[in-house]
Amino acid sequence: MSAAPNAFGGVEYSGEGFYITIDIYSGGGGAIAEGSYLPGTAGGVIEENQWGIGWDPGDIWGIGIDFKNWGTVYWSVNSQGSTGTNLTSGLLTLAQGEGGAWKLNFALEDKVVTYEGPIAPLN
């Protein structure tokens, strides 16, 4: 699977594979903090030391578009496109690794997602 920027400031994925989008909130100041993160209690709401659950906000601007798969989503990519599964439970842990890398472990109901590398916060 490969990823490339698109004209709308997002990313287009091609090939076949899986990826995950994760919204986490460590607290004020925009820094990422080590520790354990629990799921938020409602779509679109993330409190300190939580990750935002996946949700479908619907037509939030009244423009006739039903928005889906916001927040934390597990994606499957193949030749037919991308399919998202909203994630709503699981424990996410972050630990600082060597050379500024992060170690992420996300234990879900039926799978475990692991990652080691850079993570950039969005303020």
Side-chain angles (χ1 to χ4, degrees):
M1 183 172 80
S2 62
N6 66 22
F8 305 104
V11 178
E12 294 289 328
Y13 295 89
S14 59
E16 293 193 14
F18 304 94
Y19 71 98
I20 190 169
T21 55
I22 302 172
D23 288 349
I24 62 170
Y25 180 51
S26 295
I32 299 171
E34 291 184 292
S36 296
Y37 293 79
L38 296 170
T41 57
V45 178
I46 310 172
E47 296 183 20
E48 192 169 337
N49 298 321
Q50 289 184 340
W51 57 270
I53 63 171
W55 64 300
D56 298 330
D59 186 3
I60 56 177
W61 292 297
I63 59 174
I65 298 173
D66 191 25
F67 293 94
K68 296 182 178 188
N69 302 123
W70 284 26
T72 301
V73 179
Y74 186 82
W75 293 93
S76 173
V77 179
N78 60 36
S79 60
Q80 282 76 46
S82 299
T83 303
T85 302
N86 291 337
L87 301 176
T88 58
S89 64
L91 179 66
L92 184 146
T93 57
L94 284 175
Q96 188 75 56
E98 294 181 26
W102 285 91
K103 294 180 180 181
L104 177 142
N105 185 59
F106 198 3
L108 305 164
E109 303 96 1
D110 61 345
K111 60 185 72 66
V112 174
V113 175
T114 59
Y115 170 77
E116 186 169 350
I119 297 176
L122 298 175
N123 295 328

